[in-house]
Amino acid sequence: ISSIPGILTLTNSIISGSGSFSEKWSGKQINEICNLNYAPLIVSQSTGKVTLIGTTVTKSEGTGIYVSGGAQLSIDSTSQLSSNGERVGSLLSGMQTHVVCNGIDASGYPITTSIDINSNSLPSYSTNQETWVFADSFKGCNSIIRTSGINIYGRIAPQTNTGSITIKSDESGQKTVKASVSGNNLNPCDRILNLEIRNQYGQTIISQNLNESSSNAAGAQWEGIDKFSLELPNSYFLDATTQSKFSLRVVELGKGNQSGWVDASLNFDEEQASPTEEEPGVIETKSTGLSTGVIIALSVGIPLIILFIIAIVIMCVVISEKRVAAVEKK
């Protein structure tokens, strides 16, 4: 359905696609998963205007509604956007794409493109604070999501809930460092997200892009929409001890003041070197500290010594008895 240009008003309608396609997203990389304007159900471009009243847009294989180039979109509280562009089976499993806005024209200049949505039309917002509306001012989009409390302008900034840093040392002493983070609104598509690490002195020692690899660390490994792990340069943790303190947060470029810090738990995982094989007879036992050779010698020698002593005693007794008998005969 398209309004290029023109006015499109949908009242008490159901616009439905064929549903999600898990085989399409499984095994895809982040840049493919973040193809946001893929296969929209409704397109509003140029001077077009789309209004939804009591209308449901659901089960789009790709984007539910794509708005661009100066168009306008209005969705009332009795409408509903659900299950659009579900990335089932992907690294960002749980992600959806209800509305995507791009206010940049073919020449690269922004054209004001307007979106006005009542949050009651977004079940995902009441469930986990995810709007799945991809619209921000840097793309020329004036986006308002109206809630009962405050209005949300643009995309919601990422919020970190928990974080941990694991330092692993191998047999050679080489360290690898990995951060694990969970939170809300962490979706990396169509924006730049950085993981920032701060030491106990309040100094930010690392700011690493989630979607790009550094000189010695890979990009983020996603486990759904709200959790990821990221390898960090080990040079910042060479002197870390169990007493060290770190905090972390995920920030969107240009919106650092909207994201808070959380304390990171610090874990150490050290691999123990395998014991070297010794020659038989010199491996010490845990119970006595004696070598196997000594134990064998003692186990054989002691009984022989005892037998020797017993034999001497018997001989002495026999000789003594013979002497006594000889004296009695005299």
Side-chain angles (χ1 to χ4, degrees):
I1 300 176
S2 177
S3 63
I4 314 174
I7 297 175
L8 175 64
T9 300
L10 298 173
T11 304
N12 298 327
S13 304
I14 297 177
I15 311 299
S16 178
S18 54
S20 61
F21 296 82
S22 59
E23 67 276 7
K24 175 176 180 57
W25 304 109
S26 179
K28 301 295 185 182
Q29 298 302 311
I30 292 295
N31 61 330
E32 297 173 287
I33 297 170
C34 289
N35 180 10
L36 298 180
N37 60 351
Y38 169 76
L41 284 177
I42 300 174
V43 176
S44 181
Q45 292 180 317
S46 186
T47 57
K49 181 177 181 179
V50 174
T51 302
L52 271 58
I53 302 172
T55 294
T56 297
V57 178
T58 185
K59 295 183 179 180
S60 171
E61 179 183 350
T63 302
I65 305 172
Y66 181 66
V67 188
S68 66
Q72 300 176 54
L73 172 66
S74 177
I75 302 176
D76 79 337
S77 62
T78 62
S79 296
Q80 186 174 98
L81 305 179
S82 63
S83 301
N84 293 300
E86 290 184 309
R87 269 45 174 185
V88 178
S90 75
L91 297 173
L92 297 178
S93 181
M95 172 183 167
Q96 301 179 56
T97 50
H98 295 322
V99 176
V100 174
C101 174
N102 183 7
I104 307 299
D105 66 11
S107 301
Y109 294 99
I111 300 177
T112 301
T113 303
S114 301
I115 294 176
D116 192 318
I117 302 175
N118 190 293
S119 64
N120 289 336
S121 67
L122 301 168
S124 59
Y125 179 73
S126 60
T127 302
N128 56 15
Q129 301 296 298
E130 293 280 7
T131 64
W132 301 121
V133 174
F134 296 84
D136 218 329
S137 57
F138 77 92
K139 297 293 286 286
C141 300
N142 286 344
S143 172
I144 301 176
I145 298 177
R146 303 183 185 276
T147 74
S148 57
I150 60 173
N151 292 334
I152 301 170
Y153 296 91
R155 293 178 68 178
I156 302 175
Q159 299 299 326
T160 305
N161 296 334
T162 63
S164 65
I165 297 173
T166 300
I167 301 174
K168 185 175 182 179
S169 301
D170 61 18
E171 296 178 4
S172 65
Q174 181 68 29
K175 295 180 184 293
T176 56
V177 183
K178 179 180 289 188
S180 297
V181 179
S182 64
N184 299 107
N185 299 291
L186 299 181
N187 187 278
C189 297
D190 205 32
R191 59 178 173 176
I192 298 175
L193 297 183
N194 291 330
L195 174 65
E196 294 185 346
I197 309 291
R198 189 168 64 179
N199 62 20
Q200 62 199 50
Y201 306 108
Q203 301 167 325
T204 300
I205 58 175
I206 292 176
S207 181
Q208 189 164 321
N209 191 314
L210 299 189
N211 287 347
E212 296 179 358
S213 60
S214 66
S215 58
N216 64 343
Q221 301 299 307
W222 291 90
E223 302 174 34
I225 58 173
D226 56 3
K227 185 177 181 180
F228 68 87
S229 60
L230 181 68
E231 287 192 19
L232 304 174
N234 62 8
S235 56
Y236 297 98
F237 302 91
L238 296 178
D239 298 325
T241 68
T242 55
Q243 303 302 313
S244 300
K245 304 291 184 183
F246 297 95
S247 56
L248 52 76
R249 66 175 182 172
V250 177
V251 298
E252 181 178 353
L253 185 65
K255 298 182 179 180
N257 60 342
Q258 298 182 30
S259 299
W261 295 88
V262 298
D263 292 334
S265 61
L266 186 60
N267 308 304
F268 289 87
D269 184 3
E270 297 185 2
E271 294 183 359
Q272 299 296 326
S274 301
T276 57
E277 294 185 1
E278 301 288 349
E279 291 295 326
V282 296
I283 299 177
E284 293 187 348
T285 65
K286 292 183 179 180
S287 58
T288 64
L290 299 176
S291 67
T292 303
V294 173
I295 293 175
I296 294 174
L298 291 176
S299 63
V300 175
I302 291 176
L304 291 176
I305 293 173
I306 293 174
L307 289 174
F308 180 73
I309 293 173
I310 292 174
I312 292 176
V313 171
I314 292 173
M315 289 176 63
C316 291
V317 171
V318 171
I319 293 172
S320 176
E321 288 180 350
K322 287 183 177 181
R323 288 180 177 177
V324 171
V327 171
E328 290 178 350
K329 287 181 179 181
K330 292 179 179 181

